[in-house]
Amino acid sequence: MSIITVATSTYDDQRPGTSGLRKKVVVFQQPHYLENFVQAIFNSIETCQGQTLVVGGDGRYYNRQAIQTIIRMAAANGFAKLIIGQGGILSTPAVSCVIRKYQTIGGIVLSASHNPGGPDEDFGIKFNGSNGGPATEKVTEAIFATTKSLEHYLSCDSADVDLDTIGSTQVLNTEISIIDPVSDYADLMEELFDFEKMRSLLSNRRFKMCFDAMHAVTGPYAIEILEKRLGAPEGTVMNGVPSENFGGGHPDPNLVHAHELVERMNGTEPLAFGAASDGDGDRNMVLGSGFYINPCDSLALLLDNAHLVPAYKEGVAGVARSMPTGRAVDRVAAALEIPCYETPTGWKFFGNLMDAGKITLCGEESFGTGSSHVREKDGLWAVLFWLNIVAERNQPARTIVREHWSKYGRDYFSRHDYENVDSAKASEMIEQLRTKLSTMAGQQVGDLTVESADDYHYIDPIDGSESAKQGIRILFTDGSRIVMRLSGTGTSGATLRVYFDRYEGDPFHVSHDPQKALADLIIAADQLAGISAFTGRQKPDVIT
Ligand code: VG1
Ligand code: CO
């Protein structure tokens, strides 16, 4: 076995987006494409010599091949040890947990999250640092800069490693340790929540719940935790075996893609509680009987009930939400007199705040909720948090949400996605909207009056780093808001995201359909930005 220096030529499209580099599998299969990016990651680490790296993915097509490539390259680059999940499996929050537990230099996550998998679908790769969180923009920009000047990478001529057998082997001087992907994470969950209380809830045959793993990575985690450790009946976890193409579906936990679950939550004998997670296990959707819980409400509610959960009973230092996320959590933070931070979209912006001890809980409207127990959003953690609250309060999820609305009022929220739009047209639309922002204040749109408009510019309160152009915000005099931005995770064309939110304080008026409660804002967005004219679409592809 020897180290090989491979000459390579560069690609110009390797800038990581909101969450790592995501492309079609065929793009990753181009000669040296994956290798270049991996070498750029390794070059961003001060020294690979003697370090330990965690590697795992959501099990999608190309996961195993990519891991073999990474093993050869990591050995040639001098890592002392690789910790790899059995079968190449590690959920995104589990990678974060393992990095922190074994104090490694970082980890590589192979996932394109909720995007479909398969030979013609998506793949992705992301680097997380020693805090367990996604690399900051400074690091991802350095990685991108390296990909544009790379001349060679290091690899070796070793045979493939058996990824399915737990234990250790050696490649060059690197120890390859294959670990159980579930146990460290499950142990951490057991430390955070009241498993005894939850066990009596889940083993009560009158409480019927279902967790939809969507043929993705959370299957083994949910089976171990919900069925084995918490005593829920076998079959509580549906679609629990990870498959390379996620059973042919989108592993995206929303009302459209988790329709099988949604059907069980409605109908004549609806279940009491339902939940789903995405491809890599960091997102969550939570449902009560015939009742959808918006992720923005969910974050607010977790904060308001955090004292019921052992890990958070001493209090929460502060909270954060991404800018487009609805402002329900702000009201709870104000009531609790704790700080509430606003960050750009993407989990990498929460890391500094958590490391500095400023926040304990945080979340995004895109079905992402998490806490400082790891540095990623965490799907199953959110589901367990909910179950812990339901067990403590002994009330249905729907009642808990309704009581929350009567206490705080309701923040209506909705996101409209226009997918696979012509990229040039989408950019043109955003550009022309930008030119209008400085003169928009005072403008009337229907019955609404614009109070202010800007392009969100973030200054990190911990390290002072700046991130410009993070989303256009249009605020109205009645306090309601429209946000528009282009997605940074798609792999074909552009995806336009339009976010709407409005506060309704009167508890007697809080049971509308959000689409109705936000109808005038939805019309205003089109009038202000020309969405239908630029995109040629009359309605969004996905509404959440
Ligand atoms: C989307 C979401 C964002 C989330 C990101 C990664 O990004 O809007 O809130 O952090 O996905 O989540 P974008 O740029 O497409 O809007 V995941 O579960 O896809 O890693
Ligand atoms: Co995800």
Side-chain angles (χ1 to χ4, degrees), residues 18 22 113-114 282-283 364 366 377 485 487-489 497:
T18 312
R22 289 188 192 170
S113 192
H114 54 288
D282 57 358
R283 296 186 178 205
E364 294 188 280
S366 53
K377 55 185 186 268
R485 56 181 285 280
S487 156
T489 57
R497 304 206 195 283

Side-chain angles (χ1 to χ4, degrees), residues 300-482:
L301 226 134
L302 297 191
L303 174 62
D304 202 36
N305 290 278
H307 61 281
L308 301 176
V309 172
Y312 311 102
K313 69 170 187 300
E314 306 299 340
V316 168
V319 283
R321 59 161 172 80
S322 66
M323 182 274 283
T325 301
R327 292 163 286 178
V329 71
D330 302 34
R331 295 175 215 293
V332 182
L336 295 175
E337 298 181 359
I338 58 167
C340 178
Y341 297 86
E342 190 177 59
T343 58
T345 295
W347 213 259
K348 59 186 169 216
F349 295 104
F350 294 131
N352 278 347
L353 290 165
M354 287 195 185
D355 289 348
K358 302 281 186 204
I359 61 169
T360 311
L361 299 178
C362 54
E364 294 188 280
E365 49 65 41
S366 53
F367 302 88
T369 332
S371 93
S372 49
H373 68 288
V374 289
R375 292 293 180 277
E376 286 281 4
K377 55 185 186 268
D378 190 342
L380 252 181
W381 166 90
V383 174
L384 295 171
F385 202 135
W386 261 98
L387 287 170
N388 200 151
I389 293 172
V390 169
E392 275 293 338
R393 289 183 51 160
N394 199 19
Q395 288 174 307
R398 142 192 226 134
T399 310
I400 295 175
V401 179
R402 286 190 186 277
E403 284 189 4
H404 187 88
W405 289 340
S406 0
K407 185 169 164 194
Y408 289 102
R410 179 170 176 188
D411 287 85
Y412 287 98
F413 176 87
S414 182
R415 186 178 99 183
H416 290 194
D417 292 338
Y418 297 80
E419 293 177 343
N420 208 352
V421 170
D422 181 273
S423 295
K425 287 276 183 213
S427 306
E428 201 186 325
M429 191 200 99
I430 294 287
E431 278 313 320
Q432 67 96 45
L433 188 57
R434 271 193 187 116
T435 62
K436 295 188 199 162
L437 294 176
S438 60
T439 54
M440 208 179 267
Q443 191 176 328
Q444 285 282 134
V445 210
D447 291 335
L448 296 160
T449 308
V450 177
E451 185 173 271
S452 64
D454 67 359
D455 200 346
Y456 183 50
H457 184 101
Y458 181 63
I459 303 176
D460 185 296
I462 309 302
D463 67 12
S465 58
E466 300 195 18
S467 305
K469 300 185 173 177
Q470 294 296 316
I472 288 170
R473 316 189 272 196
I474 303 169
L475 277 165
F476 297 92
T477 49
D478 69 350
S480 55
R481 184 178 74 155
I482 300 172

